[in-house]
Amino acid sequence: AQKVTQAQTEISVVEKEDVTLDCVYETRDTTYYLFWYKQPPSGELVFLIRRNSFDEQNEISGRYSWNFQKSTSSFNFTITASQVVDSAVYFCALNGQNFVFGPGTRLSVLP
Amino acid sequence: GAVVSQHPSRVICKSGTSVKIECRSLDFQATTMFWYRQFPKQSLMLMATSNEGSKATYEQGVEKDKFLINHASLTLSTLTVTSAHPEDSSFYICSARASWDSPRAFFGQGTRLTVV
């Protein structure tokens, strides 16, 4: 069975603060992919990153960074110097046998 | 990058009528398409998986006679909500992959259905 858990339902931060969104996954597949998507109020899903299970190299892209720890089945996402435009729901997803989404974390960045 | 177009983006219909939602892959052939449903403040729940030229596979609890899925070509899948009721009001999103095991899925813009 596959499962994605995002323990943080809602997070509020003040602009310019750093924020980390947690994601823990379960899968029996040896090969799988992990994703982060952003869903702004418009509803459209915005792809942020994909990481395969063999690549534990962490990545930084602008204000975004990701920490993939296979040993703890975690794939956390950090926004540095958050901005109001970062306010959205963020979904962690797992693609093994099926494509499974986590419950989402609603991030509110206050001015 | 690959683009998936979903139409309409919003639709309001009367209770008892049927609504068709289209999902098109614009620049690649989508062997597999997925349909998701999202209630307010909830996650995306997979409704069904469709492979071109074959019947869709529905997730447990999804009524296949109510949510008709057709994937007649490699670039088009449709979801028809038949005899819609207010409880069918939701956000529906499609996604497409080039093959069943392709790691990347491309998502449509979503359709907000309101049944009055």
Side-chain angles (χ1 to χ4, degrees):
Chain A
Q2 297 187 143
K3 185 178 179 181
V4 177
T5 302
Q6 294 177 252
Q8 305 146 310
T9 305
E10 295 189 30
I11 301 177
S12 288
V13 298
V14 177
E15 205 169 18
K16 297 184 182 178
E17 286 185 2
D18 298 346
V19 58
T20 295
L21 308 182
D22 298 333
C23 173
V24 174
Y25 63 93
E26 295 176 28
T27 182
R28 293 179 183 173
D29 293 328
T30 54
T31 301
Y32 52 90
Y33 294 83
L34 295 162
F35 300 79
W36 275 98
Y37 287 90
K38 174 182 179 181
Q39 188 178 42
S42 64
E44 185 170 357
L45 283 173
V46 178
F47 168 78
L48 296 177
I49 191 172
R50 179 187 81 204
R51 178 68 75 233
N52 74 51
S53 53
F54 296 105
D55 181 5
E56 289 194 68
Q57 184 174 2
N58 294 315
E59 181 174 335
I60 297 175
S61 176
R63 296 187 298 109
Y64 297 162
S65 62
W66 292 269
N67 186 347
F68 177 27
Q69 298 280 346
K70 201 170 181 178
S71 60
T72 56
S73 298
S74 65
F75 185 45
N76 298 336
F77 170 43
T78 297
I79 302 174
T80 304
S82 60
Q83 299 175 3
V84 173
V85 293
D86 296 328
S87 298
V89 180
Y90 290 82
F91 291 100
C92 180
L94 168 67
N95 182 10
Q97 203 168 29
N98 296 307
F99 206 102
V100 178
F101 283 87
T105 297
R106 182 175 299 275
L107 173 65
S108 298
V109 181
L110 308 174
Chain B
V3 177
V4 173
S5 177
Q6 188 173 340
H7 178 80
S9 57
R10 291 179 179 270
V11 58
I12 300 173
C13 71
K14 291 185 177 180
S15 189
T17 62
S18 296
V19 174
K20 180 183 284 187
I21 302 170
E22 291 187 349
C23 180
R24 294 181 184 272
S25 57
L26 298 185
D27 52 1
F28 69 102
Q29 293 186 326
T31 304
T32 305
M33 286 190 173
F34 304 87
W35 287 95
Y36 296 84
R37 183 174 184 176
Q38 185 181 28
F39 289 109
K41 296 191 177 183
Q42 294 190 23
S43 187
L44 284 75
M45 299 302 296
L46 181 64
M47 298 174 66
T49 302
S50 72
N51 292 297
E52 185 267 337
S54 61
K55 289 185 178 180
T57 302
Y58 290 81
E59 296 298 303
Q60 194 171 14
V62 178
E63 300 175 60
K64 60 181 180 181
D65 293 331
K66 181 168 187 59
F67 299 99
L68 301 178
I69 292 173
N70 184 286
H71 192 168
S73 77
L74 286 171
T75 59
L76 174 64
S77 177
T78 61
L79 167 67
T80 301
V81 183
T82 63
S83 187
H85 288 95
E87 56 265 31
D88 298 324
S89 299
S90 187
F91 192 61
Y92 294 86
I93 304 178
C94 70
S95 74
R97 293 190 203 176
S99 62
W100 71 270
D101 58 349
S102 175
R104 178 80 185 268
F106 301 93
F107 288 85
Q109 303 94 323
T111 297
R112 192 166 301 282
L113 170 64
T114 303
V115 184
V116 298

